[in-house]
Amino acid sequence: MKLLKLSILALFIFLSSCSYDQDDNLSATIDIDSVEVIRSDSDLYDNVKGITNDEARPDESIACIDFIYPLTLFIFDDSDVYVSTNFILDDEQFSSILGNLEIDYSTSISFPITGTLESGEEIIINTTEELKVAIDNCLNEEILMECNTFIQNCPLKIGYSYNDENPYLGGYFYQNYGFTSLNLEDELLFGSWSPLFIENELHINISIIDDTEIGAFFNFDWKVTYLDENTLQLTNQDRELILNRRCDLNFTDCGNFSFEECELEQGEGVSEFIFDDYSECIFDTLELDDELPILFYETEDDAQLEINPIVSSEVYLNSEENQSIYVRINDFGIEEDTEDDEFYIAIINLQSISCD
């Protein structure tokens, strides 16, 4: 019994000693100049936080790289003074610490750290620069994959551009079984859609098998900007192409901005138009809220100045066979009736056609 008590006492002293050593280590002061710092307001910090967020916020996570734990994280305050050492055991703990860090604090990871790529390959990261490169490569892979699936799941309808002409408004791209098609009213063309990175910028190379003006319009290397989760802005120098991802079954109901009505008298080129009949398609094509005020004008100057509007509920007789009408859409937003209100001006075309 005496031997048992001595053994228990020795074990208690040993455990107490271990606990003391760990606490002593945690209280050690670390000079910020001796470590590689990740500022909490940096892109790298946000990306590291994204790697740890796949459980709580899948929409903000970076899934193609996983940290292998444990790892050690040092925290410094807004004066670059050492605050604490944290032994991180899993994503949840890491995410909690990063998510609750003061905005002007900084962190430093004790390198080297190990990560596993989506392919299963294990990588060893020794510096913040290597960490940045690994995450950038990972993000690029995810973006390329997302860009490929962006066109695979739903058609991409050619949307209205406020900065460029829209000769193929209402057409759409679609990809199925690896083939990319371009549908333009009565024409069906095939080609390729190839996302790639050029100097860390996302591009899409469009190549339509066509030697007419259609191919000349689309066949470029386009720089890609996501305007929102369903809209791409493609630019090439001063040219712009808007693509709206449409997963609804009736996305073809509204095409271009050319509205046709039958002539009242054969050969006169005059028809009756009621603009309220076109409002739904105008909002649909512009991807705008149909609650916004919409007004119609015969000239662009009238639309800019909001004078001489056409009564949209009444019959309008066109003065030309192919007549442009200027559509002003007021976006009053939060600050209603202020000088800073946004507005949009789009152009529709009225066509008087023979129906005999």
Side-chain angles (χ1 to χ4, degrees), residues 142-295:
E142 287 197 343
I143 291 171
L144 288 177
M145 186 180 302
E146 175 187 304
C147 198
N148 270 317
T149 57
F150 193 85
I151 191 176
Q152 290 172 1
N153 297 332
C154 300
L156 300 185
K157 189 174 180 180
I158 299 170
Y160 190 86
S161 168
Y162 295 94
N163 303 311
D164 206 352
E165 295 182 358
N166 299 268
Y168 304 106
L169 182 68
Y172 63 93
F173 288 92
Y174 189 68
Q175 192 172 91
N176 197 17
Y177 300 108
F179 293 97
T180 300
S181 63
L182 173 61
N183 298 262
L184 299 171
E185 294 185 352
D186 298 329
E187 294 195 67
L188 177 62
L189 303 172
F190 294 93
S192 62
W193 165 283
S194 306
L196 68 156
F197 272 91
I198 300 177
E199 296 182 352
N200 217 35
E201 289 183 338
L202 179 61
H203 288 241
I204 291 175
N205 187 283
I206 296 177
S207 180
I208 301 301
I209 304 173
D210 182 83
D211 58 4
T212 70
E213 67 276 4
I214 297 175
F217 181 88
F218 288 102
N219 291 343
F220 286 98
D221 175 75
W222 301 87
K223 180 182 174 182
V224 182
T225 302
Y226 279 81
L227 299 183
D228 57 46
E229 62 181 0
N230 289 312
T231 306
L232 295 182
Q233 177 194 50
L234 308 186
T235 54
N236 178 281
Q237 297 182 6
D238 59 346
R239 303 178 65 244
E240 179 183 71
L241 179 63
I242 301 296
L243 298 176
N244 298 310
R245 188 168 179 260
R246 296 293 297 266
C247 299
D248 52 306
L249 296 177
N250 61 343
F251 76 96
T252 58
D253 288 353
C254 298
N256 56 37
F257 273 175
S258 182
F259 299 102
E260 300 177 345
E261 298 293 347
C262 296
E263 291 177 310
L264 295 176
E265 297 291 338
Q266 179 69 23
E268 290 189 358
V270 178
S271 303
E272 294 181 344
F273 298 86
I274 299 178
F275 294 129
D276 279 350
D277 294 343
Y278 315 132
S279 295
E280 183 178 348
C281 272
I282 290 171
F283 282 117
D284 180 82
T285 301
L286 295 177
E287 299 275 324
L288 291 175
D289 185 351
D290 60 10
E291 297 297 320
L292 298 176
I294 181 171
L295 295 167

Side-chain angles (χ1 to χ4, degrees), residues 56-191:
R57 290 293 305 275
D59 58 316
E60 295 185 359
S61 69
I62 299 173
C64 58
I65 185 170
D66 284 318
F67 291 136
I68 297 177
Y69 297 97
L71 55 82
T72 304
L73 185 73
F74 307 115
I75 295 178
F76 301 87
D77 66 15
D78 56 347
S79 299
D80 290 345
V81 175
Y82 167 79
V83 174
S84 66
T85 298
N86 301 269
F87 295 101
I88 311 299
L89 301 178
D90 53 36
D91 276 348
E92 184 178 358
Q93 182 188 6
F94 202 175
S95 177
S96 176
I97 291 175
L98 295 180
N100 292 296
L101 196 67
E102 297 290 338
I103 188 63
D104 46 4
Y105 276 33
S106 305
T107 63
S108 177
I109 300 174
S110 179
F111 293 103
I113 60 175
T114 306
T116 304
L117 301 179
E118 202 166 31
S119 63
E121 177 187 357
E122 188 173 290
I123 59 171
I124 298 176
I125 301 168
N126 295 289
T127 65
T128 53
E129 182 59 31
E130 289 183 11
L131 179 61
K132 181 181 184 306
V133 169
I135 292 177
D136 285 347
N137 290 339
C138 167
L139 284 172
N140 288 350
E141 289 177 12
E142 287 197 343
I143 291 171
L144 288 177
M145 186 180 302
E146 175 187 304
C147 198
N148 270 317
T149 57
F150 193 85
I151 191 176
Q152 290 172 1
N153 297 332
C154 300
L156 300 185
K157 189 174 180 180
I158 299 170
Y160 190 86
S161 168
Y162 295 94
N163 303 311
D164 206 352
E165 295 182 358
N166 299 268
Y168 304 106
L169 182 68
Y172 63 93
F173 288 92
Y174 189 68
Q175 192 172 91
N176 197 17
Y177 300 108
F179 293 97
T180 300
S181 63
L182 173 61
N183 298 262
L184 299 171
E185 294 185 352
D186 298 329
E187 294 195 67
L188 177 62
L189 303 172
F190 294 93

